[in-house]
Structures are given as structure tokens and as C-alpha cells.
Amino acid sequence: MEIEKFYYDNRIVKQFANATIFWGIVGMTAGLFAALQLVFPQLNLGLEYSTFGRVRPVHTNAVIFAFVGNGIFMGVYYSLQRLCKARMFSDALSKIHFWGWQLIIVAAAVSLLLGYTTGKEYAELEWPIDIAITLVWVVFGINMFGTIIKRREKHIYVAIWFYIATLITIAVLHIVNSMEIPVSALKSYSMYAGVQDALVQWWYGHNAVAFFLTTPYLGLMYYFLPKAANRPVYSYKLSIVHFWALIFLYIWAGPHHLLYTALPDWAQSLGTVFSIMLIAPSWGGMLNGLLTLRGAWDKVREEPVLKFFVVALTAYGMATFEGPMLSLKNINAISHFTDWTVAHVHVGALGWNGFLTFAVLYWLFPKMFKTQLYSKKLANWHFWIGTLGIIFYAVPLYFAGFTQSLMWKEFTEEGILKYPNFLETVQQILPMYAMRALGGVLYLAGVIMMTYNLVKTAKAGSFVADEAAEAAALTKHESHAGEHWHRVLERKPTLMLVGSLIVILIGGLVEMIPTFLVKSNIPTIASVKPYTPLELQGRDIYLREGCYNCHSQMIRPFRDETVRYGEYSKAGEFVYDHPFQWGSKRTGPDLHRIGGKYPDSWHYNHMFDPSSMSPGSIMPAYPFLLDKQLDVSSTSAKIRAMQTLGVPYPQGYDQIANDDLKKQASEIVERLKKDGIETKSDREIVALIAYLQRMGTDIKAQNKTAEVIKK
């Protein structure tokens, strides 16, 4: 049997490892800054580029796509070469992938701070960056599959199954959710509207968690944990069941983010049922990992790498138990829109993704630099400080979530809301926000300690850019009679890819096709009209400033919500909302029925200084809106884009839209003048007021018509 000699490429692994550390610090620092802004609103600095609404998407995109993304590629590029016993398919593609991904991250951070956003959570990046992501992902896919095809190992290991599922599913999710109509070089509108957009967005959002934050990291766990523990994976059969059940069930669960909303009940129920079923494969993976440590638990006491793995798997188990629990309607009624959800997400992000990344980094650096870790003691300190950080982050937010829900829902004996002022709840949880920020400080301090430790490790060793290896060439003509059916798939990566694609498409198609094609799922309301040009411009300002990060536009059919906000939200009200803006967190009150509730002058003063109208508010001030001139040159293009999407503006309306815009703006300026406020009609604040005063009023118009008919 011929033995072939070759070299593993460690250079690309080191580059992604360094990027993981760098972007981890950047993303977590942005998160800490956002957390502190909720405690000290003056940290918004009165600048448009540093408000919470712009900083928070930078944080989420940085930690997901920059920190975790680079962590995925670091682990995949290292493990894939060794599992396939082959160098990466193309060094050139590896370099294009690395530098392309870093440029995307920089473009994302700059564009989000400048206010260029689609307004869709975890998918905020505008269309040119979406295209760049697609191209770089294709480069990654070619490089990965090319390596698998030229492998010297007959069967592909379980870790590679998860890499393949990640590759194809992320491609599908990204392309479907990013379907949009460009208005300009940095502005687009989602092709979907209202309920349909919400379903697609949370199909994407939930499965981005599944197939970007979970499946690739399970692949890393299946490679690096056995290596670190020097033990084989506990159960091969369990890994088969775990893999196929997980990727099939996960894709259905997105609607559990939309319980009690205007989404059709049948879709909500599907999301709940499949979420509950997800416990089984999720815990199967966790147990397969923990049981791999059988006979090695004595090492956990001494080895920081194994400590990080154990807590990562435990956090994964906790998060994947809590997630299905939160999908139960009776629990979701309490948790949704509160900080409970934020705590839940961060148990997974900080515990599972963060700690597993740290474990891999601590294991990789000594291997690549042919030396010992500089300081195990420092790594152990990092472990305990990081664990404390998670506790100080999550526990206060659980209490904040319980406090929010209980206060929102409490009535007096006379049947009126006990806490009618939303800010009473906000003031109550500020100490919990402060403790959350302390948790962030501890966690970030641990990452900085790790960075120092790894830098010292690298300096003490000698980097091996091309690691020598040898393996027997793959023999193609062998008998496979009587082998397990799954071993066939393990020899045929293309079949594995196609099988994964079919499995993940089923759930999405079953949920989306009826929602898009069966009209009764979204009953229309005759009184709902398209936005006026000024309202459309105001809505884009609302999107630009990231108001959806703190405000919902979805009143659920609960007594406390209808008493506090007004009539519950109907599916037909959102048919012209490209994109939908239902939100997922209420740091401030719901805004769906804000239209007509306050005079124009209230909104003007509130945007200039929120605390002047709402004492104790932690909302950022937006004084720049009072001075910035509205760009009306884009109005015609926006109207045409909306017409393309099916919004029934009259033919040729794009040519006269600005006339209507100026007329409505003048009316608002006149009303402000009556209240003693002088402003120009071409200021952005006027457009935003127009949009805020429109919100939720279509139903009021319908109700007035019904009353006239009755009389």
C-alpha cells in the first residue's frame, strides 16, 4: 500500500484563530458598551453613530459572524484536514475566504454604525454585503468539498456531517431571507411583508442559531473533545440519531418566536410541537459529549481545556432545555418581550459558543506552536472568572424578566393596571442591568487574560506553518457488502449534502407555502392603506435608528396589553410593512397603537430629550433628527420599489410623491407651531412624527366607519 506524504496548512488556522480573538474582544466590548448605555443613558453621547439602536446590531453581528464565525472556520480548517488526511483543496481559496470574511465584518460594522440597515434582526446587513457573504460562502464551500473529495480517509467522520449540514443550510437560509428589492446602493426593502416577512425572518433567525451557533460547534465538539480527553466518542449510533433528528426538527421551530402574534395559529402550534421534540436530539448530543469523558473526569480537575468543554456542554444542555420550555404558550406569555429571553440567549452564547471556542483555542495554540500552554493557572483563572461572568450576566436578567412580566400584568382589586406607567418597570430593573454589565466586565476580562496567555504561548514556541503528515492513498475498489446503511452515506459526501438539503427543506416548505399561498392566513382589512411618502420616509428613519431593538409593534391578545396599549394587532394591518417591525424585546413600550395618542409636539420634545416627556427614561436622545435635512431625492425610487413589491400606489405616483410629502410635512409643522415649536418642514423629525402618528390608526379608521354604519 502506497504511503503518501503531504503537509497540513496551519497558516490559515492561525489567521482565523487570531481573527477569532480580535473580533471576540471587539464584539464583547461593543456589547458591554450597549449594556452600560441601559444603565447610564448619557453614554449614548447624543451622537447618531453611538446610540443603543446602532451599537446593539454591531454587537450581535460582531459576536455571531465575526467571533463565532471565525471560530467555526478556525476549527473546521484544522479538523477537516486531519479528518480527511489531506491539505485544504486550495491555499488560494483559503486566503480569499479569510480576507473576504474580514472585509465583510468591517463593512458590516461601518455600515451599521452609519445607519445602513434592513431592520431585520440578525440579518441587518444591506444587499451588497449580502451578496459578498454569498460569494465568500461559496468559496468556503468549494474549498471544503474539494478537500472532502480528495480525502485519504474512506468514511467521513461525524464532525464533517455537521460541517456539511451547516454549509448547505446557511446558504439556503441566507438566500431566502435576504431576498430584497434594492432602492439604491445601500438601501433595499424586503420582498416579504408583515406576517410573511415575520415567518421567514424567524425561520432564518431561529435556524441561524441552529446552523451557525449550534451544528458547526457540535462538529467541533465531536473532533476536539475526544482529542483533548484522549477518549473515543461515547456512541457512534447516538451520533447518527443525534445528527439527523437535530437537522430535521430544528428547521420547524422558528414560529415559536411569534407565539400570540398575528401569525396563523397552526404555524405557531407547529413551531411549539417541534420545539418540544428538539429536547431529545439536543440532549443526545450533550450526553454524547459528556459521556465521552467517562474515565477522564480526573483530568477535568487539572486541565482547563476540559473544564471549558464541560461547562460549554452543560450550557448547551441548559439552553436547549430552556428553549423548548419557552416555546410553550403559557411560559412564552410570561417570557416574551422580556429580559428572560436575553438571559436565555446568553447562556448559550457565553457558555456554549464562548467556552467551547476558548477550549479549542487553548488546545490549538500549543499544538500549532509546538510548545506547552504558557500558564495553566492563568487559564484556570480565566475559567472561573468567565463562569462568574456568565452567572452575573444571566441570573440578574432572569429576575429582570420575571419582574417585567409580573409588573406588566398586575391589576389592582378595582381592575385597573397597577403599574400603568411603563417606566415604573424600567426603573425597577436598573440594578439588574447594572449587575448584567458587571457580568460582561468579568467575561471580557477573562478573554483578555486568555489573549495574554496565548500570545505568551506563541512567543515561547515555534509556529509550524506546514505540518508534515503521511497517509495511505484511498483505495476505491473495495467490497462494502453487509455494511451499515449509514456507512454508505459516509463514503458519499455529495449524497450526504443532498440528503441534508432535503431534510432541512421539508419544515420550511410546509410552513411557508400555505402562509404565502392561502389567502385566509392573512385576512385583509379594507381600511389599511399604503404609507404616504412622508410616512414611508419616517419609517425608514425608524429602521435606521434601530428602534425595533427596544420597541415592539405587536400587541398580543392579553388583557394587560389591550388595556395598556389598545386593540390587539391584526395580520391584515401589516400587509404593506417591508420589512415587518414586530420586535422581540420591550425595553420601551409597544408602539403599534401610538398613532394619535400624543400630539406632534410630544413626539418632537420626546425625541429631543426623552426624559422631558418621560421622566426616568433610559432612551437615547435624538437631537440630530431636529437638524438633519430629509433626503427627498430617494422618494421616487422608494415608491417604485414598493410598487414592484405589490404596494398599490397609483401608476406614475412616484413622479408626484414629493408633492404629497411636502404638503403633509407642512401640516405637521403648522401643528407644531401652534404648540410653540418652530421647525422647518424638511427636517427628519417631521417625517418620523408622520410615521409615529400613522402607527395603528388604520384599525381606528375601520372602527369609526363601522360606528357610522351602525348609526
Side-chain angles (χ1 to χ4, degrees):
M1 186 178 290
E2 184 185 352
I3 300 296
E4 298 178 342
K5 294 186 177 182
F6 56 95
Y7 294 91
Y8 294 132
D9 180 9
N10 283 343
R11 190 175 288 106
I12 188 65
V13 179
K14 186 181 80 167
Q15 288 176 318
F16 275 117
N18 291 338
T20 301
I21 297 165
F22 174 76
W23 289 117
I25 293 172
V26 171
M28 292 173 203
T29 302
L32 177 59
F33 183 57
L36 288 169
Q37 287 178 323
L38 294 176
V39 186
F40 307 107
Q42 55 269 34
L43 287 176
N44 286 278
L45 307 177
L47 304 172
E48 59 178 305
Y49 311 110
S50 55
T51 58
F52 180 87
R54 296 201 190 181
V55 172
R56 192 234 173 200
V58 171
H59 160 62
T60 54
N61 280 271
V63 292
I64 295 171
F65 302 110
F67 171 59
V68 173
N70 279 299
I72 291 168
F73 303 137
M74 166 189 71
V76 168
Y77 274 98
Y78 185 88
S79 61
L80 187 67
Q81 294 183 81
R82 284 146 183 88
L83 290 170
C84 293
K85 289 188 169 56
R87 189 181 178 90
M88 288 305 298
F89 175 66
S90 166
D91 288 5
L93 289 180
S94 297
K95 290 173 184 174
I96 292 169
H97 177 200
F98 175 77
W99 289 111
W101 196 255
Q102 308 319 307
L103 288 172
I104 285 167
I105 293 164
V106 172
V110 172
S111 63
L112 289 171
L113 288 174
L114 291 175
Y116 297 110
T117 174
T118 63
K120 297 175 74 168
E121 258 188 297
Y122 313 119
E124 290 96 346
L125 305 181
E126 273 294 357
W127 67 271
I129 304 177
D130 282 339
I131 292 172
I133 291 169
T134 305
L135 295 175
V136 171
W137 198 256
V138 169
V139 168
F140 170 52
I142 294 170
N143 208 12
M144 186 176 106
F145 244 76
T147 307
I148 295 171
I149 289 168
K150 73 169 192 175
R151 71 193 184 280
R152 295 178 177 86
E153 192 69 43
K154 183 166 59 175
H155 294 282
I156 54 177
Y157 177 64
V158 56
I160 301 176
W161 313 347
F162 282 100
Y163 300 160
I164 290 172
T166 299
L167 175 72
I168 191 63
T169 311
I170 290 297
V172 171
L173 293 169
H174 176 68
I175 291 169
V176 173
N177 191 52
S178 298
M179 298 296 285
E180 49 215 5
I181 296 289
V183 175
S184 65
L186 288 169
K187 176 64 185 173
S188 64
Y189 289 126
S190 172
M191 273 193 178
Y192 319 109
V195 171
Q196 294 162 342
D197 193 38
L199 177 63
V200 173
Q201 164 61 20
W202 283 113
W203 168 80
Y204 161 87
H206 180 78
N207 289 302
V209 171
F211 289 90
F212 204 82
L213 301 179
T214 304
T215 53
Y217 266 63
L218 286 167
L220 300 187
M221 182 273 289
Y222 272 116
Y223 178 82
F224 288 101
L225 178 61
K227 286 286 187 182
N230 198 25
R231 293 285 187 280
V233 168
Y234 172 69
S235 172
Y236 165 72
K237 288 184 178 178
L238 181 56
S239 67
I240 295 174
V241 175
H242 168 217
F243 171 73
W244 289 107
L246 192 80
I247 68 169
F248 173 70
L249 295 175
Y250 235 129
I251 211 81
W252 295 75
H256 77 214
H257 291 265
L258 300 168
L259 300 182
Y260 290 111
T261 67
L263 188 74
D265 279 343
W266 64 265
Q268 296 182 36
S269 298
L270 269 179
T272 297
V273 169
F274 280 89
S275 297
I276 298 301
M277 287 194 283
L278 260 176
I279 294 176
S282 298
W283 274 47
M286 176 194 68
L287 292 172
N288 215 8
L290 289 175
L291 290 171
T292 297
L293 290 169
R294 69 201 185 287
W297 283 98
D298 57 310
K299 293 182 181 179
V300 176
R301 186 168 58 250
E302 304 297 332
E303 292 295 329
V305 170
L306 292 180
K307 283 191 181 75
F308 279 107
F309 272 122
V310 168
V311 171
L313 283 164
T314 305
Y316 174 64
M318 291 166 63
T320 53
F321 176 77
E322 185 182 28
M325 291 302 101
L326 292 175
S327 73
L328 293 170
K329 277 195 164 185
N330 53 348
I331 296 177
N332 191 271
I334 299 168
S335 70
H336 198 52
F337 292 133
T338 76
D339 283 297
W340 185 347
T341 307
V342 182
H344 161 66
V345 167
H346 282 80
V347 167
L350 301 175
W352 166 240
N353 295 112
F355 269 35
L356 197 137
T357 304
F358 304 151
V360 172
L361 284 165
Y362 278 126
W363 189 86
L364 268 182
F365 265 69
K367 299 287 182 188
M368 291 194 298
F369 287 89
K370 298 299 178 187
T371 186
Q372 296 294 311
L373 183 64
Y374 170 70
S375 173
K376 280 190 179 181
K377 187 175 182 181
L378 199 58
N380 278 314
W381 270 99
H382 174 200
F383 170 78
W384 290 111
I385 288 174
T387 302
L388 275 176
I390 296 171
I391 293 168
F392 271 96
Y393 189 107
V395 173
L397 285 193
Y398 280 121
F399 279 99
F402 304 150
T403 302
Q404 286 166 312
S405 188
L406 291 171
M407 289 181 73
W408 292 345
K409 292 178 179 297
E410 189 169 355
F411 284 82
T412 64
E413 291 181 359
E414 292 76 26
I416 60 174
L417 284 170
K418 187 170 182 179
Y419 304 103
N421 186 348
F422 189 92
L423 283 170
E424 292 179 274
T425 310
V426 175
Q427 291 299 311
Q428 192 69 31
I429 62 176
L430 285 180
M432 302 165 200
Y433 281 175
M435 288 185 73
R436 180 261 294 272
L438 173 61
V441 169
L442 291 171
Y443 197 86
L444 181 57
V447 176
I448 293 168
M449 290 169 65
M450 176 192 72
T451 305
Y452 173 78
N453 204 355
L454 295 180
V455 167
K456 296 292 283 186
T457 301
K459 286 184 175 180
S462 177
F463 179 64
V464 181
D466 297 294
E467 186 178 330
E470 58 181 33
L474 187 62
T475 310
K476 294 185 178 179
H477 303 290
E478 287 184 10
S479 173
H480 303 293
E483 71 177 351
H484 189 273
W485 65 270
H486 201 267
R487 301 292 278 180
V488 177
L489 283 176
E490 292 168 33
R491 286 188 287 105
K492 300 180 181 295
T494 306
L495 197 58
M496 177 76 79
L497 180 78
V498 173
S500 299
L501 176 62
I502 293 169
V503 166
I504 64 101
L505 284 177
I506 295 169
L509 292 173
V510 168
E511 290 174 347
M512 285 184 206
I513 290 174
T515 307
F516 278 79
L517 298 184
V518 180
K519 289 186 177 181
S520 60
N521 279 312
I522 306 169
T524 54
I525 300 172
S527 60
V528 175
K529 306 296 182 187
Y531 292 107
T532 67
L534 187 64
E535 290 161 1
L536 185 62
Q537 291 281 15
R539 190 171 199 270
D540 286 341
I541 294 168
Y542 183 97
L543 293 175
R544 184 189 74 197
E545 300 309 328
C547 301
Y548 63 88
N549 287 288
C550 293
H551 294 283
S552 60
Q553 289 186 28
M554 174 52 60
I555 303 169
R556 297 172 295 177
F558 298 153
R559 179 189 172 201
D560 64 284
E561 294 202 10
T562 55
V563 170
R564 186 183 298 275
Y565 301 120
E567 190 167 351
Y568 71 89
S569 304
K570 315 291 194 301
E573 294 184 81
F574 304 102
V575 291
Y576 303 129
D577 283 13
H578 298 270
F580 85 114
Q581 286 289 283
W582 295 357
S584 59
K585 169 77 169 61
R586 286 178 184 157
T587 306
D590 186 276
L591 298 180
H592 191 216
R593 301 280 180 234
I594 195 75
K597 187 175 182 179
Y598 303 107
D600 295 343
S601 57
W602 187 95
H603 290 294
Y604 185 97
N605 290 320
H606 187 247
M607 299 309 294
F608 177 69
D609 178 11
S611 61
S612 67
M613 296 290 101
S614 306
S617 172
I618 60 172
M619 176 178 154
Y622 293 88
F624 53 88
L625 294 178
L626 281 59
D627 301 319
K628 282 192 77 172
Q629 187 172 353
L630 181 67
D631 178 17
V632 296
S633 65
S634 61
T635 307
S636 296
K638 289 180 177 181
I639 294 295
R640 287 193 295 273
M642 286 294 178
Q643 287 174 321
T644 304
L645 292 168
V647 179
Y649 290 110
Q651 191 69 30
Y653 185 66
D654 59 306
Q655 301 301 317
I656 60 170
N658 273 328
D659 295 336
D660 285 353
L661 181 150
K662 291 171 184 175
K663 181 181 176 183
Q664 187 179 5
S666 298
E667 292 170 357
I668 292 172
V669 167
E670 284 302 312
R671 291 199 295 269
L672 289 171
K673 194 173 183 180
K674 289 178 182 177
D675 287 340
I677 296 172
E678 294 283 348
T679 189
K680 295 179 180 178
S681 61
D682 62 352
R683 303 297 100 163
E684 286 190 342
I685 185 65
V686 175
L688 182 60
I689 289 171
Y691 173 59
L692 293 171
Q693 294 290 36
R694 169 65 187 276
M695 263 196 252
T697 56
D698 291 321
I699 283 289
K700 294 176 185 177
Q702 183 192 41
N703 291 344
K704 283 181 182 177
T705 304
E707 286 173 15
V708 170
I709 293 171
K710 285 180 183 177
K711 289 177 181 178

